[in-house]
Amino acid sequence: MKTICLYFEIHQIIHLKRYRFFDIGTDHYYYDDYENERSISDIAERSYMPALNTLLQMIKENDRYFKVAFSLSGVGIEQLEMHAPQVLDKLQELNDTGCVEFLAEPYSHGLSSLANEETFVADVKKQCGKIEEYFGKKPTVLRNSSLIYSDDIGGQVAAMGFTGMLTEGAKHVLGWKSSHYVYNCNIAPSLKLLLRDVELSDDISLRFSNTDWPGYPLFADTYVNRIASLPQEEQVINIFMELSALGIAQPLSSNILEFLRAIPGCAREKGITFSTPTEICKMTKSVGNLDVPDTLSWVDEERDVSCWLGNAMQREAFNKLYSIADRVRIARDPRVNQDWDYLQASNNFRFMTTKPSNVGLDRGIYSDPFDAFTNYMNILGDFINRVNSLYPEEIDNEELNSLLTTIKNQGDEIEMKDKEISRLKTKLAKMEAAEIKVKSEKKATVRKAAAKKPAVKKEAIKAEDTTK
C-alpha cells in the first residue's frame, strides 16, 4: 500500500542590520529588529496561519487519516515567540490531534554539520530540547538544514541515537534508483533515509501557480493519480517543502490551499495512506545502502553546498566563524551564545553567493554578494573580539581541549549523579509506600480484633445466663 509522507519546514531569517567597520568594538547589537518583526508578521499572516488552519481542518475532516510532519529551527521558534506566538499556539493545537510529528534539526539552521561535529551535536540537542518543551515529545528523526547529507553526517546522526533522517532524492546520487523506497546510511545501517521526491514536491512548492508550466493548472485528482500510477513496489512518496510555499511562493489566490485540502479525499479513493517519518522508519524495511560520499542538499540544480560555500568569500567567512567554535561552546555568556546561533544561520552565507539560480534570491539590505560579505565580516570581527575577551587567543588548542575535556567529564559525572539520585529517590519512595502499606495493614488487623472482642463478651454473658 502506498503512503505519502508530507513534511514542512518552518524557519525564519534573522535579518542583520547595516554594520560599518567603525562600529567594531563599540556596537555589539547586530540585528534589524524592525525588519525581523515585519517579515515574520507578514509570513505568519499570509502563509503560516492560513496553511496551519487548513492542515488542522484536513486532520479533523478526515478523522485522523491525514498526517503531517514539521521541523522548526530554534531561531525560528525564537522569532515566533516574540512576534507571532499565535503560530506556536496553532502548532500545539495540531500536536494535540496525535497526527503530527515534529522533527529534529540544528537550532541555528546553520552549516555546523560541515564544520564541527561537537558544535553540530550541541546545535541539534538544543533544538530537540526546545521541541520537547513545546510539544512534549523528543524527536526521533532528524532533518538537517536544507536537507544537507553525506555518509559522514549520517554516521554522526546515527551516533546521536536518531532512527531516521530526511534528505534529497538527488538524481546524481540515486542514478537508476527510485526515491520511493527507504534506504539506510552507508556507514551506519541503523539510520534509515527518507528521500524527497523532487518533482512531486516542486510541482507544489515552485510551479503550482506558474501559468507557463505545462502542468498548469494542477488539480488534486491529477496529482494523486500520478502517485497511484507509480509501480506497485514503490510505496513511499516523500513530499517535502517549506511551509512558506503555501501563501508566499504560491499565493493564496492561486487556490493552493484548496488544492491541498482536496488531496486526502483523492488519496483515500486510491487506497493511499499518510504516514509520519517515524512511522515509515518503524514499519518499512530498508532496501539497501545509499552511498553519498559527497555532501548534497535540496538547493539549486547541483543539489550540493555550493550556494553557501561556492566562492572564496563564503569559505573565508565560514572558516573564520567556525575557527572559534570550541571557544564559543564553553562560553557561559547568554548574549554570546545567542549571537552564535544567529550568525551560524545558513542564509548569511547564501547572501554572498555569486551563482545564478532558478529560484529568486532576495538579498535584503545587500546590493550584491560583496556587500553581504563585507557587512557580515564586520559583525563577525566584533563577535570574535568579544569571544577572545572571554577566552584569549593566547590559550593554545591543547590547553583549550584539556579545558573542554574537563568540562565534558564534569558534565557526564553530574549527569550520572543526577540519574543515581533519581534512582535512589524512586527506591526511597517505594520503600516509604511499602512501609505505609504495612502500617495500614497492621492498623486494620488491630481494628478487626478490637471489633470482635465485645461480641465475645456478649456471647459469654449469654452463655452464663443460660446456665443459671
Side-chain angles (χ1 to χ4, degrees):
M1 181 181 291
K2 288 182 170 55
T3 190
I4 296 172
C5 179
L6 184 61
Y7 151 81
F8 294 101
E9 172 207 12
I10 299 177
H11 168 62
Q12 180 60 28
I13 290 175
I14 304 295
H15 296 274
L16 302 178
K17 70 181 181 182
R18 180 63 67 181
Y19 195 91
R20 309 290 181 184
F21 175 79
F22 297 104
D23 294 326
I24 299 174
T26 62
D27 182 3
H28 304 317
Y29 192 77
Y30 313 134
Y31 315 107
D32 186 339
D33 290 334
Y34 171 79
E35 183 58 25
N36 284 325
E37 181 176 1
R38 185 207 64 78
S39 60
I40 196 162
S41 298
D42 180 59
I43 292 174
E45 181 181 350
R46 293 168 54 202
S47 171
Y48 291 168
M49 289 306 294
L52 293 175
N53 280 323
T54 298
L55 291 168
L56 181 61
Q57 195 172 16
M58 290 163 68
I59 292 172
K60 292 179 177 178
E61 287 176 349
N62 292 279
D63 192 27
R64 300 170 60 86
Y65 167 78
F66 174 73
K67 297 176 182 179
V68 65
F70 298 95
S71 74
L72 292 80
S73 69
V75 296
I77 292 176
E78 288 185 17
Q79 291 297 296
L80 292 171
E81 287 173 334
M82 288 189 286
H83 306 304
Q86 68 274 19
V87 175
L88 292 171
D89 292 340
K90 186 58 64 175
L91 285 166
Q92 287 174 322
E93 190 177 347
L94 277 157
N95 182 53
D96 291 340
T97 65
C99 297
V100 174
E101 178 178 358
F102 291 92
L103 309 183
E105 73 163 73
Y107 190 95
S108 65
H109 196 270
L111 307 174
S112 56
S113 61
L114 304 176
N116 188 295
E117 183 174 350
E118 290 79 9
T119 299
F120 178 50
V121 171
D123 213 6
V124 170
K125 284 185 176 180
K126 185 175 180 180
Q127 188 264 0
C128 287
K130 197 78 169 175
I131 293 296
E132 194 169 8
E133 174 190 335
Y134 267 98
F135 307 111
K137 300 172 186 174
K138 187 176 181 180
T140 59
V141 174
L142 183 136
R143 175 260 187 204
N144 200 7
S145 308
S146 301
L147 298 188
I148 290 172
Y149 177 79
S150 69
D151 290 336
D152 289 339
I153 293 172
Q156 295 172 29
V157 171
M160 281 188 261
F162 290 100
T163 59
M165 186 171 179
L166 275 53
T167 189
E168 181 77 341
K171 290 180 181 178
H172 70 276
V173 170
L174 284 171
W176 56 268
K177 297 177 182 177
S178 168
S179 63
H180 303 143
Y181 296 94
V182 173
Y183 297 89
N184 59 262
C185 175
N186 193 35
I187 63 175
S190 64
L191 183 75
K192 291 185 176 179
L193 302 176
L194 305 185
L195 310 184
R196 185 176 87 112
D197 184 304
V198 177
E199 186 175 352
L200 287 171
S201 299
D202 289 352
D203 281 353
I204 298 176
S205 62
L206 297 182
R207 294 183 280 268
F208 184 81
S209 61
N210 181 2
T211 55
D212 294 328
W213 174 44
Y216 180 88
L218 180 62
F219 296 103
D221 56 350
T222 305
Y223 188 80
V224 172
N225 285 341
R226 284 168 54 192
I227 294 173
S229 64
L230 292 169
Q232 185 177 357
E233 62 274 14
E234 298 186 14
Q235 295 189 353
V236 179
I237 294 85
N238 300 307
I239 301 171
F240 306 158
M241 68 192 78
E242 297 177 359
L243 185 63
S244 60
L246 310 179
I248 302 298
Q250 309 305 322
L252 299 182
S253 59
S254 68
N255 293 321
I256 183 70
L257 295 183
E258 288 74 13
F259 163 82
L260 189 69
R261 188 176 168 185
I263 287 179
C266 296
R268 179 172 273 177
E269 289 178 1
K270 296 292 183 178
I272 301 171
T273 64
F274 289 84
S275 301
T276 63
T278 293
E279 287 176 339
I280 292 175
C281 289
K282 284 182 178 179
M283 67 185 183
T284 308
K285 292 183 178 180
S286 166
V287 296
N289 297 341
L290 188 69
D291 187 17
V292 189
D294 300 316
T295 311
L296 63 86
S297 76
W298 71 355
V299 179
D300 292 345
E301 288 297 321
E302 296 84 355
R303 298 292 195 268
D304 58 15
V305 296
S306 59
C307 68
W308 303 288
L309 300 175
N311 62 47
M313 293 184 298
Q314 292 170 310
R315 292 189 292 273
E316 169 67 16
F318 178 82
N319 292 331
K320 195 77 171 175
L321 175 68
Y322 284 102
S323 69
I324 57 169
D326 290 339
R327 297 171 190 272
V328 171
R329 202 165 64 253
I330 61 175
R332 300 297 180 186
D333 188 320
R335 276 289 305 278
V336 166
N337 288 320
Q338 184 181 58
D339 291 339
W340 173 249
D341 290 334
Y342 293 171
L343 293 177
Q344 282 190 87
S346 62
N347 55 277
N348 293 313
F349 303 96
R350 184 80 189 276
F351 291 148
M352 304 175 199
T353 186
T354 51
K355 283 180 58 181
S357 175
N358 292 332
V359 180
L361 174 62
D362 180 4
R363 298 186 197 269
I365 63 172
Y366 307 123
S367 56
D368 54 48
F370 310 98
D371 186 26
F373 172 74
T374 301
N375 200 70
Y376 183 81
M377 292 303 285
N378 286 341
I379 290 173
L380 188 56
D382 183 79
F383 180 70
I384 290 175
N385 288 342
R386 289 165 57 203
V387 173
N388 286 337
S389 70
L390 295 172
Y391 300 100
E393 289 180 292
E394 290 74 25
I395 301 178
D396 59 29
N397 287 336
E398 186 176 343
E399 186 178 352
L400 186 61
N401 286 334
S402 176
L403 180 59
L404 286 169
T405 301
T406 301
I407 291 173
K408 182 181 184 301
N409 291 340
Q410 288 175 343
D412 291 344
E413 187 177 346
I414 290 171
E415 186 178 353
M416 287 176 62
K417 287 181 177 178
D418 286 341
K419 288 180 179 178
E420 180 65 15
I421 290 170
S422 178
R423 187 185 69 80
L424 291 173
K425 282 182 177 179
T426 303
K427 185 177 179 180
L428 182 60
K430 288 181 179 178
M431 291 172 63
E432 288 176 347
E435 188 178 348
I436 291 171
K437 184 179 179 182
V438 169
K439 287 181 179 179
S440 178
E441 288 175 350
K442 284 183 178 179
K443 287 181 180 179
T445 302
V446 171
R447 281 197 296 268
K448 285 181 181 179
K452 287 179 179 179
K453 282 181 181 180
V456 171
K457 287 181 180 180
K458 286 178 181 177
E459 289 294 328
I461 293 169
K462 188 175 179 183
E464 186 178 347
D465 289 345
T466 305
T467 306
K468 289 181 180 177

